[in-house]
Amino acid sequence: MRWIARLAALGCVVFVMLQFVRPALTNPPVAAEIQAPPEVKAVLKRSCYSCHSNETALPWFDQVVPAYWVATHDVKMARQHLNFSEIGKLPAAAQRAMLFEAVTQIQLGAMPLPRYLKAHPEAALTPADLAVLKSYLVPFGKTAVSDAVTIAAADTQYKDWNGEKTPMPAIHAAPNGIEFFRDYKDWKAISTTDRGDNRTMRVIAGNDIAIRAIESKQIHPWPDGAAFAKIAWTQMTDNKGVIRPGQFKQVEFMVKDKTKYASTAGWGWARWLGMDLKPYGKSAAFTGECVSCHQPVKDNDFVYTMPITRTGGTR
Ligand code: HEC
Ligand code: HEC
């Protein structure tokens, strides 16, 4: 039985020695903290700053190797993606856009990292915390009520859009050569979203190949030929306080072809603006912003929308 005691003693020695293997975790000065009201910062401080700032303070149990190694690695990675102690030097709109992206990550359940929450339950966001962030992102507080004329104009426009009374104008291809998808209004709706910070309402639709892939659960990855449309209207508030679609803003597409579009994450990206469907982007390089903003869902084949099937989630 003595060997057990010896082994335990050896284990203790190794454990103590490992404590000295410590990658440095420094807190550089807070150069330019995010500019946001105190209540917004308070939420971020409690839930995100331990990784996404230069004000990292590890609790004692994270000071102990191997937890310490995990924590330092997380902080380094997290700061690379988003550092609330440094983004204050960006234009206000860029800071808001990053915060919007952060809220998306929270709502997806991706942030704070789920494994971190197990040991740090105090970092979890309550619905009230989330509401604080979201209401800050709504630019003008309550929307102004639109007058009857504006509402009628939007309704007429919607009928035109929907009924195709006027023939569609000649539509130019996107700068990367992708042609407009003239049949997209016949695609099936998969989801709707509304975005408080820029006041748009959106419908996401999929073509037949996408819908069949959802039904047969073949979406990791999506098959070639699958396509999505995201159709956006500006938000309007009527005199009853109902928020409803106003002017048509844009429609954008993703079409899968892992070979043809290998250089843009396997998807062809394109966007057309306004009722006259003007192609978006000065050159084919516009796709860079699409891919980088869809990067957080790369494990989901770069698609944000999670279809809901009859048997529940597909993940
Ligand atoms: C335990 C540390 C930790 C905490 C706490 C944490 N994050 Fe992160 N976060 C990370 C790491 C690590 C990454 C990089 C993930 C990767 O590269 O896969 C990351 C990435 C991100 C990204 C970028 C996603 C991308 O792929 O571009 C956003 C946005 C984000 N976090 C927001 C938040 C917000 C908001 C909070 C607080 C509500 C938060 N995080 C809390 C560790 C953390
Ligand atoms: C600011 C970040 C951002 C940028 C930039 C961006 N997207 Fe997206 N996109 C999203 C988010 C978030 C969703 C999820 C649906 C939603 O929130 O409306 C989405 C959804 C979509 C969808 C529906 C399928 C899906 O992934 O859910 C299409 C199609 C799409 N985007 C096309 C584009 C195209 C084309 C571009 C570039 C011209 C682009 N996106 C740029 C964030 C972005």
Side-chain angles (χ1 to χ4, degrees):
M1 276 301 135
R2 285 193 41 202
W3 63 275
I4 293 192
R6 277 203 198 135
L7 203 63
L10 183 68
C12 285
V13 171
V14 170
F15 180 77
V16 169
M17 277 167 61
L18 280 179
Q19 300 308 316
F20 294 96
V21 185
R22 300 180 84 79
L25 179 63
T26 53
N27 274 326
V30 178
E33 193 177 27
I34 182 173
Q35 292 159 12
E39 67 276 15
V40 169
K41 275 196 201 169
V43 173
L44 300 176
K45 278 203 166 113
R46 199 177 59 245
S47 297
C48 321
Y49 270 40
S50 57
C51 294
H52 290 281
S53 81
N54 295 345
E55 295 180 63
T56 307
L58 299 182
W60 69 267
F61 52 86
D62 279 339
Q63 307 274 359
V64 181
V65 168
Y68 179 78
W69 294 340
V70 176
T72 40
H73 180 259
D74 280 349
V75 171
K76 277 182 189 149
M77 296 289 293
R79 282 181 183 165
Q80 268 170 28
H81 279 83
L82 167 66
N83 188 336
F84 287 114
S85 304
E86 290 177 2
I87 65 170
K89 55 183 174 247
L90 301 174
Q95 293 181 49
R96 290 180 91 93
M98 294 186 86
L99 208 49
F100 181 79
E101 174 57 25
V103 169
T104 305
Q105 295 289 326
I106 296 168
Q107 285 176 309
L108 287 169
M111 286 294 146
L113 291 176
R115 63 172 158 71
Y116 174 82
L117 286 179
K118 288 198 188 119
H120 307 79
E122 72 290 349
L125 282 94
T126 64
D129 292 338
L130 193 56
V132 166
L133 301 185
K134 283 175 127 179
S135 69
Y136 168 61
L137 289 172
V138 175
F140 315 113
K142 271 177 97 175
T143 24
V145 172
S146 300
D147 58 72
V149 176
T150 314
I151 290 179
D155 284 347
T156 309
Q157 193 204 49
Y158 182 75
K159 275 191 205 122
D160 270 6
W161 178 86
N162 206 22
E164 213 81 85
K165 270 198 228 81
T166 39
M168 271 215 208
I171 305 164
H172 293 288
N176 52 352
I178 292 181
E179 294 286 348
F180 192 73
F181 295 79
R182 289 185 167 265
D183 63 342
Y184 81 95
K185 291 175 200 167
D186 300 331
W187 298 2
K188 268 202 187 143
I190 303 174
S191 158
T192 60
T193 58
D194 83 296
R195 186 167 158 178
D197 68 324
N198 68 2
R199 299 213 157 274
T200 54
M201 303 177 97
R202 300 88 77 86
V203 172
I204 290 148
N207 69 357
D208 284 347
I209 299 178
I211 300 297
R212 275 202 302 274
I214 293 169
E215 281 162 1
S216 57
K217 301 204 170 86
Q218 306 286 313
I219 64 172
H220 288 112
W222 290 87
D224 281 354
F228 297 101
K230 180 165 135 183
I231 313 143
W233 289 268
T234 56
Q235 270 180 21
M236 263 183 0
T237 308
D238 69 16
N239 56 8
K240 294 192 193 77
V242 176
I243 297 179
R244 30 159 294 153
Q247 295 287 313
F248 174 78
K249 186 166 185 258
Q250 63 181 34
V251 57
E252 59 190 353
F253 298 92
M254 289 167 69
V255 56
K256 177 87 191 210
D257 188 324
K258 60 180 174 306
T259 320
K260 191 171 173 192
Y261 303 122
S263 64
T264 49
W267 293 91
W269 308 80
R271 178 187 286 169
W272 282 268
L273 306 177
M275 283 296 274
D276 52 353
L277 297 167
K278 193 171 164 294
Y280 171 82
K282 291 199 176 68
S283 73
F286 80 90
T287 53
E289 60 182 86
C290 316
V291 176
S292 68
C293 210
H294 280 244
Q295 197 72 30
V297 286
K298 60 177 182 297
D299 293 340
N300 214 20
D301 201 7
F302 293 87
V303 174
Y304 271 102
T305 303
M306 287 307 297
I308 296 164
T309 60
R310 269 155 294 167
T311 50
T314 48
R315 267 225 246 218

